[in-house]
Amino acid sequence: MSSSWINTRAWLLMLPLLIVMVAVIGWPLIDTVRLSFTDAKLVGTSGNFVGFDNYLKMLSNSGFQRAFLTTTWFAVISVTAEMVVGVAAALLLNQQFYGRTVLRALMILPWALPTVVNATLWRLIYNPEYGALNAALTQIGLLDAYRSWLGEPGTALAALILADTWKNFPLVALIALAALQAVPRDITSAAMVDGAGAWSRFRFVILPYLAGPLMVALVLRTIEAFKVFDIIWVMTRGGPANSTRTLSILVYQEAFSFQRAGSGASLALMVTLMVTVLAAIYATVIRKTAGAN
């Protein structure tokens, strides 16, 4: 059988999938690009061609700039916390102790929960009238009165970061725990015999085995955090006073709440471009990691 026929048959087998991808992804993307150059509304007229006005207005808009900073701050803090907590949990669960299997199974639960369920649970925890967090902090004397954690601009974003960290650190922990299985026991034992402390063993013996997998987890979680929508929408809807409004929330509000389809499309494409850059970094990391192995 000739190689040309094999290639032709492969393309024929992929043809149904390609047709579906063009219909589901290609055409909406093309239409979004078209809309981004118009002043179209969500309902009514199709809009007039305005060139790059939508993009220029968004880039100079203070709401976009604040949303970008909020998104960046959310991604940096939440991903950093997830990496630290995830690696610490993996190191703990890699030790030999009674009940380790049960703890490993329980650790997956926050990650396995649907995001809407997770967000609703944390809304109840932060509730200003009967929330568990207020009750606990009041009983141990750290608070004099209950606070509205999601209703104050100074605490709302931090509360969201905590909820997102609790939701996603198990993914980092699972990746790190899998990588820890490749660390030879005799190397760590030899380091202990040589007098290396816990930090030295982690830094010089264990960390080189974790570096590649953790880099993949870092880029994956950064991409997800940068386009976060659901947990913020359920918990705060971008409030109070837009203090938790990220780029994805801004896209939704611009396109659907304000019904400005043109500017909403341009903003969505800008966010897509940013995520594509992060995805390209992820692909580069994967190739380098594969090449190193």
Side-chain angles (χ1 to χ4, degrees), residues 11-276:
W11 280 106
L12 289 174
L13 290 173
M14 289 191 297
L15 185 60
L17 176 61
L18 294 175
I19 294 174
V20 172
M21 289 183 63
V22 169
V24 176
I25 300 176
W27 171 247
L29 180 61
I30 294 173
D31 195 50
T32 301
V33 173
R34 179 190 65 80
L35 278 175
S36 70
F37 293 104
T38 69
D39 59 357
K41 303 298 182 182
L42 188 62
V43 292
T45 61
S46 58
N48 302 312
F49 180 78
V50 295
F52 288 94
D53 284 356
N54 288 329
Y55 294 92
L56 296 176
K57 288 179 181 178
M58 276 297 163
L59 289 174
S60 60
N61 183 275
S62 60
F64 170 81
Q65 296 169 2
R66 183 180 180 185
F68 178 78
L69 291 176
T70 301
T71 303
T72 303
W73 184 250
F74 177 90
V76 170
I77 301 300
S78 63
V79 172
T80 300
E82 290 162 17
M83 298 297 292
V84 173
V85 176
V87 171
L91 291 171
L92 173 63
L93 295 176
N94 194 48
Q95 306 300 313
Q96 296 288 342
F97 60 89
Y98 181 75
R100 181 180 67 169
T101 304
V102 176
L103 282 180
R104 286 181 174 181
L106 290 176
M107 183 189 68
I108 303 176
L109 285 179
W111 184 53
L113 282 175
T115 304
V116 173
V117 176
N118 175 69
T120 303
L121 288 174
W122 279 97
R123 281 188 64 185
L124 294 175
I125 292 173
Y126 291 137
N127 190 280
E129 298 178 0
Y130 51 81
L133 180 61
N134 278 318
L137 294 179
T138 302
Q139 290 173 7
I140 63 178
L142 293 180
L143 277 184
D144 295 328
Y146 280 20
R147 294 184 60 179
S148 179
W149 301 99
L150 297 177
E152 300 176 14
T155 59
L157 187 60
L160 288 174
I161 289 173
L162 178 59
D164 188 73
T165 300
W166 183 83
K167 162 71 177 174
N168 292 299
F169 89 87
L171 174 62
V172 179
L174 287 174
I175 293 175
L177 186 59
L180 285 172
Q181 309 309 306
V183 180
R185 295 287 182 181
D186 54 347
I187 296 180
T188 55
S189 300
M192 293 179 65
V193 171
D194 291 340
W199 171 249
S200 296
R201 293 198 304 272
F202 173 76
R203 180 180 178 185
F204 297 108
V205 178
I206 297 176
L207 189 56
Y209 287 90
L210 295 180
L214 285 183
M215 183 58 68
V216 174
L218 174 65
V219 178
L220 277 175
R221 281 302 308 138
T222 302
I223 293 174
E224 290 296 321
F226 199 82
K227 58 187 183 70
V228 64
F229 175 84
D230 42 10
I231 190 170
I232 296 179
W233 184 255
V234 173
M235 293 182 69
T236 66
R237 294 184 181 270
N242 294 330
S243 60
T244 63
R245 186 170 67 173
T246 60
L247 289 174
S248 295
I249 299 291
L250 184 60
V251 170
Y252 177 86
Q253 291 177 338
E254 190 71 21
F256 297 102
S257 299
F258 306 143
Q259 297 192 1
R260 293 193 284 258
S263 58
S266 63
L267 180 57
L269 288 174
M270 291 166 64
V271 175
T272 301
L273 179 61
M274 297 175 191
V275 174
T276 301

